[in-house]
């Protein structure tokens, strides 16, 4: 890179800086809220641009689920999780997948300040978006 190239690049960076990029980035009023990010992610999922499958490597959890199946406790655990969940999950099948989905939702609901509230807001925002 020549001195001239460096000077041109520095001029470009100065121009970007003077247009307020850093100021916009540092101003919370100009940053997307988590709800906005969730809306974008939901849009991506609906458009097929985001994998709808969630995977995790957890041998202990796999063993717990296996033991629940062998002990015929899947229905009971499913119902306990469904009751603990504040929202309407739409899940009716007492499968491993349903238990994992409910467990994650209940965990986010109980273990975070407002992730599930933000998700509810994002879903509502998507429903009420006008053209």
């Amino acid at each position: 890179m020549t001195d001239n190239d460096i000077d041109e690049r520095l001029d470009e960076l100065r121009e970007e800086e003077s247009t307020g990029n850093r100021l916009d980035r540092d101003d919370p009023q100009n940053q997307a809220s988590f709800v906005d990010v969730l809306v974008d992610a939901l849009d991506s999922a609906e458009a097929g641009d985001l994998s709808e499958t969630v995977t995790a490597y957890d041998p202990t959890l796999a063993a717990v689920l296996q033991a629940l199946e062998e002990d015929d406790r899947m229905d009971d655990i499913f119902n306990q999780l469904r009751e603990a969940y504040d929202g309407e999950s739409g899940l009716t099948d007492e499968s491993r997948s349903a238990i994992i989905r409910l467990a994650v939702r209940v965990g986010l609901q109980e273990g975070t300040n407002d992730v599930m509230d933000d998700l509810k807001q994002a879903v509502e925002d998507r429903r009420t978006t006008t053209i």
Side-chain angles (χ1 to χ4, degrees), residues 1-101:
M1 196 175 229
T2 67
D3 286 341
N4 193 29
D5 292 336
I6 293 172
D7 288 339
E8 286 179 23
R9 182 64 182 137
L10 286 172
D11 287 340
E12 288 174 19
L13 291 171
R14 284 186 194 104
E15 181 62 30
E16 286 178 18
E17 187 69 24
S18 68
T19 60
N21 287 344
R22 191 188 92 237
L23 296 175
D24 288 345
R25 185 177 60 244
D26 292 342
D27 183 0
Q29 297 295 332
N30 291 327
Q31 294 180 7
S33 71
F34 184 62
V35 172
D36 295 331
V37 174
L38 279 169
V39 167
D40 290 344
L42 291 167
D43 290 342
S44 293
E46 186 176 293
D49 298 332
L50 179 69
S51 174
E52 295 177 351
T53 303
V54 177
T55 59
Y57 174 80
D58 191 333
T60 304
L61 182 56
V64 168
L65 292 168
Q66 180 65 34
L68 290 173
E69 283 180 334
E70 289 177 10
D71 202 36
D72 292 325
R73 295 186 56 202
M74 296 289 280
D75 292 350
D76 182 45
I77 298 302
F78 174 80
N79 288 326
Q80 288 178 38
L81 287 168
R82 193 167 55 177
E83 287 177 23
Y85 182 55
D86 287 341
E88 173 52 48
S89 69
L91 300 171
T92 58
D93 178 29
E94 298 88 0
S95 65
R96 282 179 173 224
S97 175
I99 286 175
I100 292 167
R101 291 167 64 190

Side-chain angles (χ1 to χ4, degrees), residues 33-35 38 105 107-122:
S33 71
F34 184 62
V35 172
L38 279 169
R105 292 175 186 186
L108 288 171
Q109 169 186 292
E110 300 298 322
T112 65
N113 290 332
D114 46 3
V115 170
M116 294 308 287
D117 291 336
D118 288 345
L119 177 58
K120 289 175 190 173
Q121 182 62 50

